[in-house]
Amino acid sequence: MAKTILITGASSGIGQAAALYFAERGWNVAATMRDPSKADPRLQHSQISLFALDVTDAESITRGIADTLGRYQKIDVLLNNAGYGLFGPIEALSDQQIQKQFATNLFGLIGVTQQVLPAMREAGEGLIINVSSIVGRFALPYASSYVATKFAVEGLSESMRYELEPFRIRVKMVEPGSIATEFGKGSKQIAVSDPYQASMNKFLAVFAKGNSAGAKPEEVAEVIYGAANDSSNRLRYLAKPGPFFWMNRLLPDAAWRRLLVKAMVK
C-alpha cells in the first residue's frame, strides 16, 4: 500500500520538487498551498492531490488535513516546508514583518504539526520532517528574524522527538544551504535602512552568489526522500550545505567571525 506524505508550501521551490519526487516514486502526495488554482501544471500528476492550506490560518489547516485524510485515510509523513526569508538589519524590521515571519516559519509549522499528530498517534506511527536550514545552526548578518525562526525550529524538533518517541512518531530535519530556487528570487522580503545600505548591499551580493551556486530544489527533494525512508532515529540531514557551513564547523569562533565580517559586512 502506497505511503502518503502531506507537504506544506508545495506551490514552488523545494515543496514542489518534493511533491514531484515522491509522486514519481509511487507515494500518495497531498500537495498543499494557499491557492491550488495557481499550482504549476507539473503538479497535475496521478499520485498528487492539491489541497488549500494556509499555515497561518488554523481553520485552513484543519480543512487541509481533513481533505488529505478524506482522500488517503492516513498521513505517514508530514513535510513542514512552507516558509520565506525576511532580510535586513533588525533596526529596519517592523513588528508586522517580524510577526509575519514567525507566523509562517514557526507558528505555522507548529500549528500544522499539532493538527496532524492525533491522526499519527491513532495510526500508531508517523514521521515529521521539518525543513530547517544551515542557519538553524549558525547566524548570518541581516537575517536575524529568519535565523531566529530556524534556530527555533531546530530546538522545537529536537524537543519534540523525545515527546513523540513513545508513540512511534519520529522527527527529522533537513538542513539545506543556499538554494537555487524562488527562495533566492521572490520568496523573500528585504528591509533596508540608510545607515546599513552599503553593508547590506555587500551581504545581498554574497547571498545572490551563494544562491546561484546552491542546491537545486530536486537535490534537496532527494535528501528529503532519503530521510523519509530512513528508519533510524537520525535527526539532521544536510542538503549541500556549502563552504560557510564547514568553515563555521571547523574554525575557532574568533576566526569565523573575522571571516564572516570581511565577506558580508565590511
Side-chain angles (χ1 to χ4, degrees), residues 24 29 84 134 144 173 190 201 232:
E24 289 164 1
V29 178
Y84 71 97
I134 58 169
S144 53
M173 284 182 288
I190 298 175
N201 288 343
S232 77

Coordinates of all heavy atoms in Angstrom, one line a residue, residues 24 29 84 134 144 173 190 201 232:
E24 N 6.6 10.5 -8.2 CA 7.2 9.7 -9.2 C 7.8 8.4 -8.7 O 8.1 7.5 -9.5 CB 8.4 10.5 -9.9 CG 7.8 11.6 -10.8 CD 8.9 12.6 -11.2 OE1 10.1 12.5 -10.7 OE2 8.6 13.6 -11.8
V29 N 0.7 11.9 -2.6 CA 1.1 13.2 -2.2 C 0.0 14.2 -2.0 O -0.8 14.4 -3.0 CB 2.2 13.8 -3.2 CG1 2.6 15.2 -2.8 CG2 3.4 12.9 -3.4
Y84 N 9.5 31.5 4.2 CA 10.1 32.5 3.4 C 11.2 33.2 4.2 O 11.2 33.1 5.4 CB 9.1 33.5 2.8 CG 8.5 34.5 3.8 CD1 9.1 35.8 4.0 CD2 7.5 34.1 4.6 CE1 8.6 36.7 4.9 CE2 7.0 35.0 5.6 CZ 7.5 36.3 5.7 OH 7.0 37.1 6.6
I134 N 20.8 25.5 7.2 CA 22.1 25.6 7.9 C 22.2 26.8 8.9 O 22.9 26.7 9.9 CB 23.3 25.6 6.9 CG1 23.2 26.8 6.0 CG2 23.4 24.3 6.1 CD1 24.5 27.1 5.2
S144 N 18.4 38.3 10.9 CA 18.2 37.9 12.3 C 16.8 37.3 12.5 O 16.6 36.3 13.3 CB 18.3 39.2 13.2 OG 17.5 40.2 12.7
M173 N 15.0 16.6 10.6 CA 15.1 17.9 10.0 C 16.0 17.8 8.8 O 17.0 17.0 8.8 CB 15.8 18.9 10.9 CG 14.9 19.4 12.0 SD 15.8 20.6 13.0 CE 16.8 19.5 14.0
I190 N 12.8 42.1 1.8 CA 14.1 42.9 2.2 C 13.7 44.2 2.8 O 12.9 45.0 2.2 CB 15.0 43.1 1.0 CG1 15.4 41.7 0.4 CG2 16.2 43.9 1.4 CD1 16.2 41.8 -0.8
N201 N 24.1 45.9 1.0 CA 24.4 45.6 -0.5 C 25.5 44.5 -0.6 O 25.4 43.7 -1.5 CB 24.8 46.9 -1.2 CG 23.7 47.8 -1.4 OD1 22.5 47.5 -1.3 ND2 24.0 49.1 -1.7
S232 N 16.0 4.9 10.8 CA 16.8 5.2 12.0 C 16.2 6.5 12.8 O 15.2 7.1 12.3 CB 18.2 5.5 11.7 OG 18.4 6.8 11.1

